[in-house]
Amino acid sequence: MSDDHTTGSGPDETALARIETEVAMLMRLGEATRRATGTAEHRVLDRAAYVILRHLAVAGPQNVSALAARLNLDGSTVTRQVSAMQRDALIARAPDPTDGRGTVISPTQSGLHRMAAVRAARTRLYGDILADWTPGDRDTLADMLARLNEALENRTRR
């Protein structure tokens, strides 16, 4: 995809303008693809619940503050999401072993099962989308996306 309206004049500015355009399109098309995917597997969790469950599955039980900090979200936003997830039996609360006044959140088996179903459906979808890419190109894309996410994460922690 090309952008005839670059702000810079050199090759680096042109590349940065292309990256900005491609990331904007990636976000728009990613959301459009999610909405257009007809399988129920993609809809068993909303986006926020999926991200929270993915993090908890890797990191283990967390209090809301740690979860909010890790996901770069406001604590009140995470509290609302966690409350909805608890009503849906996706997460459970337990006393925080380091602070008796607080609680930690952990995924339930139902939450992990639903998260795994969404992850498998998304993996199949990307397998279809990238079917004509070589394994090397897929690896390169995964590596570059990981680097981009790491850079974005580091930027939000400044």
Side-chain angles (χ1 to χ4, degrees), residues 77-146:
T77 300
V78 173
T79 298
R80 282 191 304 276
Q81 291 169 338
V82 163
S83 293
M85 291 172 69
Q86 186 174 14
R87 281 191 304 273
D88 293 339
L90 300 173
I91 57 102
R93 293 180 192 253
D96 187 336
T98 63
D99 177 5
R101 298 168 295 160
T103 60
V104 292
I105 294 107
S106 59
T108 62
Q109 284 303 314
S110 175
L112 291 173
H113 178 73
R114 288 167 70 176
M115 180 207 58
V118 171
R119 185 175 187 194
R122 288 180 176 186
T123 299
R124 284 190 305 276
L125 175 65
Y126 283 112
D128 291 345
I129 291 169
L130 302 174
D132 62 343
W133 289 39
T134 68
D137 284 348
R138 289 180 184 195
D139 284 340
T140 298
L141 177 61
D143 291 344
M144 294 297 103
L145 288 172

